[in-house]
Amino acid sequence: MLWLLVGSVVLALCSCGGRKPREVWISNILANPPEFWHVEVKLIGIVQDIEVNPKGTRQGFYQLMDLNKQVIMVKTVDLPDVGDKVVVVGVVGQLPDNAIHVLIVETDRQWVWTSFINIAVALVLFLTTVGLVGYRLFRYPGRPEQVGAGRIKAQKPPFMAQRGAGLSPSKAGSGEQQKAETMLLNVDQVSLGHELKKNATIELEVLAGPDKGKRFHFTRSVITIGRSGRRLNDIELKDITISREQASIELNRAGTAYILRNEGKTNPTLVNGKALAIANLKQGDEILVGTTLLRYSLIE
């Protein structure tokens, strides 16, 4: 009788919108028919006998038996099969040839498992939404700190506070929100110097973050930085607060310097404490992506 228990849950969960039918047992109706005359009710049970009327159609009557072994006659325009487990919505009336006996005029019918599947789909959608919201909160856990009335101060990772003014140009105790400076430079506008040697090596040392202590060395002209994803990054970091395609370092057209490009759509890239779209890298520059701090060095 598991299907009947499931159906009982359906009776409680599957109704939505408009005026809800009254959810009752067949025994309730049979015990006091006048209370239910012309009332729309919802029942659950198993189809017993069926009677085609008129012959040659799908119209007729069928008997519905519930969990308490109570039986009631149902009139329908689309007869089910014997043994079907159904949820029936209908209006309580009387048999045409016997006003004493109760009849349900069916207005809607669902199979128990169809109703259960509808609930399961709704539950899956709900859990998916909760999961996405939870991921978003985990992905971006930072929260702004309130400073005075209507003013916000951006929080900094602990290691930035320890390193002092080297990464943050804001004045101590000012209490004002620091505005990150954004520089948009064309590669051709970067200051030119002597042409780099062909065997020049870039070294990026991780000073802070999940990959602290690692050193990366490259001699190629383009280096990509980010989390694990579709793009195979040259520097793949474990920091969950950065983008899968966070930034890239490439040799400029003149071959005289390396350029840093921010590629994160939602996550900024900072060079020496300033948010930059494109930056000309110099010896000892510190690059901040998420909570990971890198130091750039060029070995010729």
Side-chain angles (χ1 to χ4, degrees):
M1 291 298 178
L2 177 61
W3 65 270
L4 285 174
L5 297 177
V6 173
S8 300
V9 176
V10 172
L11 285 176
L13 300 179
C14 198
S15 298
C16 60
R19 185 176 178 180
K20 296 182 179 180
R22 191 170 171 181
E23 299 169 3
V24 296
W25 294 103
I26 293 175
S27 57
N28 300 134
I29 300 173
L30 298 179
N32 188 11
E35 180 184 348
F36 295 94
W37 292 142
H38 309 299
V39 174
E40 189 175 44
V41 296
K42 177 183 285 188
L43 304 169
I44 181 172
I46 185 170
V47 177
Q48 297 295 300
D49 299 325
I50 63 173
E51 177 186 344
V52 179
N53 187 3
K55 293 182 178 181
T57 68
R58 293 290 300 171
Q59 302 180 34
F61 303 87
Y62 65 89
Q63 290 184 342
L64 184 72
M65 183 179 71
D66 67 5
L67 185 63
N68 299 319
K69 305 297 183 180
Q70 298 294 318
V71 179
I72 196 169
M73 188 69 72
V74 181
K75 182 180 180 181
T76 181
V77 295
D78 184 17
L79 285 168
D81 295 325
V82 174
D84 282 353
K85 304 168 184 67
V86 294
V87 178
V88 176
V89 176
V91 178
V92 179
Q94 300 168 316
L95 285 173
D97 56 349
N98 192 336
I100 298 176
H101 294 285
V102 179
L103 172 74
I104 303 295
V105 180
E106 183 185 88
T107 58
D108 187 32
R109 181 177 70 238
Q110 287 186 332
W111 280 263
V112 169
W113 291 111
T114 300
S115 302
F116 182 73
I117 290 172
N118 290 339
I119 296 172
V121 171
L123 182 61
V124 169
L125 292 175
F126 171 75
L127 293 177
T128 301
T129 303
V130 171
L132 290 174
V133 172
Y135 171 78
R136 181 71 178 179
L137 293 176
F138 178 76
R139 176 72 170 77
Y140 304 105
R143 289 291 181 273
E145 176 186 351
Q146 203 71 24
V147 180
R151 303 172 75 176
I152 295 177
K153 180 180 179 180
Q155 292 182 341
K156 298 181 294 183
F159 67 83
M160 287 185 65
Q162 295 173 3
R163 297 183 67 85
L167 290 177
S168 177
S170 60
K171 295 182 179 179
S174 64
E176 295 185 358
Q177 179 183 5
Q178 176 186 345
K179 296 183 179 179
E181 298 178 28
T182 302
M183 296 175 60
L184 296 175
L185 301 177
N186 187 290
V187 176
D188 294 330
Q189 295 175 332
V190 177
S191 58
L192 301 178
H194 68 281
E195 186 174 349
L196 298 177
K197 296 180 180 179
K198 292 184 179 181
N199 60 349
T201 301
I202 291 178
E203 178 186 87
L204 290 167
E205 179 185 1
V206 183
L207 303 179
D211 298 281
K212 182 178 179 180
K214 290 185 178 180
R215 293 173 183 263
F216 301 92
H217 298 87
F218 301 95
T219 57
R220 65 189 64 176
S221 58
V222 178
I223 303 162
T224 56
I225 304 172
R227 284 192 295 124
S228 175
R230 286 184 296 179
R231 184 174 79 174
L232 298 177
N233 292 299
D234 298 309
I235 299 179
E236 186 173 290
L237 300 172
K238 298 177 182 177
D239 192 345
I240 63 172
T241 64
I242 68 173
S243 302
R244 290 179 173 84
E245 299 180 10
Q246 176 65 41
S248 64
I249 298 174
E250 62 185 68
L251 188 65
N252 68 2
R253 295 177 183 176
T256 58
Y258 278 95
I259 307 300
L260 174 70
R261 293 182 182 273
N262 176 50
E263 297 175 335
K265 296 181 180 179
T266 56
N267 300 313
T269 299
L270 282 71
V271 178
N272 298 328
K274 297 181 180 180
L276 304 174
I278 303 176
N280 182 22
L281 292 175
K282 301 181 296 297
Q283 194 76 1
D285 278 351
E286 292 182 341
I287 304 167
L288 179 64
V289 289
T291 60
T292 299
L293 184 66
L294 304 164
R295 181 164 58 201
Y296 167 85
S297 300
L298 184 62
I299 304 171
E300 293 188 81

